[in-house]
Amino acid sequence: MSTIKAALFWTFISVLCVDAIFDKDVGDDGVPFPPTLQPSDSGLPVGHLSPLGYQREPEGPVKEYTQPLAPTEFWEQHARDPYVPLVYRQAIAKAPAVTNWQSDEYIREKYGDLDVLVEKKIEDRMNPVRLRMPLSEFLDNYHRKQWYVVSLLPDPMRAEMQVPRSLLCGNFKDSILESNLWLSSGGTRSVLHYDADHNLHCLISGRKDFIMIPNKYGDKLDLADNKKSGSGFTHMNVDKVDLVKNPEVSEVPWTWATLQPGDCIFIPSRYFHQVRSYGRSVAATIMWDPFREFNDSDCATRDIDKYTALSDVRLQWTYKKGDKVIDMGYINVETMRNILLNEMKDEELNKFTPEVLSILYAYNILDEEEDEQLGEEDMEYVRKVFSLMDKDQKGYLTEEELRGLDIETLKLVTRLIEPAHGPIGENMGSRDEL
Ligand SMILES: *[C@@H]1O[C@H](CO)[C@@H](O)[C@H](O)[C@H]1NC(C)=O
């Protein structure tokens, strides 16, 4: 065999082997993490073109606890700025999900008719494809087609998921935005990124490794331009870090964590993280809005040690069978209310009008650099959205009316003036793209 042919042959074989590992559905604990640094014999920096984590020794593991902290301690030591990640071992061990969701058959039988959002296993943020389909269709195909459920956790599944005690009093329980379901055959690799919200990521099946990096190192990490949103990601290829292009990666300190079923990791707002999964992988995450002051007035009276299911707490964005949209990734509607109020004040108006709404809408959908303006069609749309808020159709809302606007209307307005967050109908995009 010629060298080139041999190389191709071995690439082919190794691809097959990798696939075989991922399709076996057993936790592949053979992959060492954190990695051992390999000295460079090429004169190039250590870890050049290796996966993220091979460029520098980690600072150590993420701080971990065998029992979740009480809400006040969690606030004081981790969830208040400066945010500090943590791992809770076996925090959801009592959740029925940890036993029941090990089996595709169980999920298919009980939840197969529920719709979820599905994307490709290997994340491509520049070219995302996301489809909506029933869980049963996903389960029939996910090993062969490298599919990944990244979706709002459907309401009926919340009953089998536990909320760890740290979130059971004070503002925590009032600021939960949504819960997400993550399901794949393993071998997923996220890009290095951060999100706007706090996140408790709990593993139900498989193994997940996390690389954690404080937000302040963002300027060493080849960040994608993302001014408008509270989230961000790097352009770096995390499987092959190019230290010629991004030499400063070697200077960035990082911590690590490995989750097993039942464990949770707190990923703070704006904290960089990169996630790899091994074996059939199921996780549920709970997201909430960071707040500045902790109000513990109900903590003395709440029994945080009573087993609490995720279906026993209020979430802002939910999905149940038959809902037209799966509202994923939207902001807190109370934050939206404040944005609307502030815009009214910025414009020095004492009334909220379609014009004020159009400023926000334009900010969300137009490219400032291109100096674009809202067209007549867009204005027509804004007036329609406005008329949903203007219950007595008098053409404006007073500040008081805006403060009193009901949650359901605010949610509707949020959906309508933010860019689409996912596929709306069943037929957005095609199965062939996945
Ligand atoms: C704290 O929360 C309670 C309700 O749990 C509320 O009645 C009270 O006004 C809040 N206090 C502050 C200072 O926001």
Side-chain angles (χ1 to χ4, degrees):
M1 230 185 298
S2 77
T3 337
I4 290 178
K5 262 193 190 153
L8 282 175
F9 176 73
W10 284 113
T11 309
F12 181 55
I13 289 296
S14 63
V15 167
L16 283 184
C17 291
V18 167
D19 268 342
I21 289 168
F22 294 152
D23 280 350
K24 256 195 304 192
D25 272 0
V26 290
D28 175 26
D29 289 321
V31 183
F33 186 76
T36 312
L37 259 53
Q38 305 294 328
S40 163
D41 52 12
S42 61
L44 285 161
V46 170
H48 178 58
L49 300 184
S50 294
L52 185 64
Y54 283 75
Q55 294 71 37
R56 175 188 164 112
E57 297 283 352
E59 301 302 293
V62 169
K63 183 161 186 180
E64 62 179 73
Y65 299 86
T66 49
Q67 147 97 320
L69 295 170
T72 307
E73 275 100 66
F74 178 51
W75 163 252
E76 283 169 358
Q77 296 163 35
H78 293 272
R80 168 160 85 182
D81 199 13
Y83 310 135
V84 183
L86 63 72
V87 167
Y88 285 152
R89 294 293 172 204
Q90 297 306 297
I92 58 157
K94 291 187 184 142
V98 176
T99 343
N100 296 340
W101 299 2
Q102 303 306 329
S103 142
D104 279 357
E105 281 324 301
Y106 178 91
I107 295 178
R108 189 196 313 271
E109 201 146 290
K110 205 154 171 197
Y111 305 119
D113 58 344
L114 297 169
D115 279 357
V116 288
L117 301 179
V118 173
E119 51 192 59
K120 283 187 239 193
K121 258 190 348 193
I122 302 299
E123 193 180 17
D124 179 1
R125 291 228 170 184
M126 302 312 280
N127 191 16
V129 180
R130 213 191 233 180
L131 295 185
R132 174 176 174 162
M133 67 178 73
L135 255 174
S136 57
E137 182 183 348
F138 170 82
L139 292 171
D140 288 342
N141 290 285
Y142 76 116
H143 291 282
R144 240 174 342 112
K145 297 199 173 164
Q146 313 282 309
W147 284 355
Y148 195 4
V149 168
V150 182
S151 187
L152 218 63
L153 181 73
D155 283 358
M157 298 180 82
R158 280 163 54 192
E160 297 198 57
M161 171 66 187
Q162 180 180 3
V163 185
R165 67 203 282 271
S166 304
L167 301 181
L168 289 177
C169 75
N171 331 31
F172 290 119
K173 66 165 204 326
D174 300 325
S175 17
I176 301 179
L177 293 172
E178 64 183 58
S179 175
N180 293 331
L181 172 68
W182 307 75
L183 170 52
S184 80
S185 62
T188 62
R189 282 147 173 66
S190 75
V191 298
L192 181 63
H193 70 285
Y194 63 88
D195 303 302
D197 297 310
H198 283 327
N199 196 348
L200 195 66
H201 188 118
C202 299
L203 195 63
I204 290 164
S205 178
R207 164 187 149 190
K208 264 188 181 175
D209 293 341
F210 291 77
I211 287 181
M212 308 292 294
I213 298 173
N215 187 274
K216 64 179 176 191
Y217 297 104
D219 53 3
K220 297 182 190 296
L221 295 171
D222 197 5
L223 273 196
D225 187 26
N226 204 15
K227 275 176 281 180
K228 284 186 186 177
S229 96
S231 60
F233 63 96
T234 80
H235 287 300
M236 269 184 334
N237 177 349
V238 288
D239 289 326
K240 255 186 169 184
V241 174
D242 187 336
L243 287 173
V244 175
K245 229 165 93 191
N246 304 117
E248 290 179 315
V249 174
S250 312
E251 298 163 20
V252 175
W254 58 285
T255 55
W256 62 276
T258 293
L259 295 196
Q260 302 291 349
D263 297 343
C264 303
I265 182 171
F266 166 52
I267 305 169
S269 161
R270 303 184 64 77
Y271 219 93
F272 281 102
H273 50 287
Q274 198 246 322
V275 191
R276 297 169 198 170
S277 69
Y278 300 95
R280 176 178 175 277
S281 180
V282 185
T285 57
I286 302 174
M287 273 162 49
W288 71 97
D289 217 5
F291 40 84
R292 293 189 169 280
E293 307 282 337
F294 187 55
N295 176 352
D296 67 354
S297 64
D298 67 343
C299 288
T301 54
R302 283 200 183 256
D303 184 3
I304 58 167
D305 290 316
K306 188 175 136 212
Y307 178 91
T308 303
L310 190 54
S311 47
D312 296 334
V313 298
R314 201 173 56 87
L315 274 63
Q316 219 166 66
W317 299 96
T318 60
Y319 166 74
K320 60 179 186 302
K321 186 172 160 56
D323 281 353
K324 242 192 326 213
V325 283
I326 299 180
D327 293 308
M328 201 174 144
Y330 282 106
I331 65 170
N332 186 338
V333 291
E334 292 305 332
T335 308
M336 177 55 80
R337 192 196 304 277
N338 287 331
I339 291 172
L340 299 175
L341 283 163
N342 286 338
E343 192 61 38
M344 187 174 109
K345 286 180 189 150
D346 281 356
E347 295 301 307
E348 297 181 358
L349 293 170
N350 50 13
K351 287 177 190 152
F352 188 82
T353 61
E355 284 63 42
V356 182
L357 188 62
S358 76
I359 295 168
L360 287 167
Y361 183 65
Y363 177 81
N364 278 338
I365 67 155
L366 296 182
D367 189 341
E368 284 161 278
E369 255 114 79
E370 297 283 322
D371 219 4
E372 286 181 272
Q373 302 245 320
L374 279 187
E376 190 39 46
E377 219 170 282
D378 286 326
M379 269 317 290
E380 195 52 42
Y381 175 77
V382 169
R383 278 191 284 269
K384 272 193 194 139
V385 176
F386 181 86
S387 72
L388 300 170
M389 308 169 69
D390 183 14
K391 309 275 177 185
D392 50 8
Q393 305 297 314
K394 64 181 176 308
Y396 64 88
L397 271 76
T398 63
E399 180 177 336
E400 205 180 7
E401 284 170 330
L402 192 48
R403 287 192 189 281
L405 197 64
D406 64 288
I407 301 282
E408 284 312 311
T409 306
L410 265 179
K411 278 170 80 167
L412 199 55
V413 172
T414 303
R415 283 187 198 115
L416 293 170
I417 75 165
E418 284 202 28
H421 280 226
I424 294 163
E426 261 192 81
N427 300 321
M428 301 269 293
S430 124
R431 299 290 191 266
D432 299 337
E433 290 176 72
L434 259 187

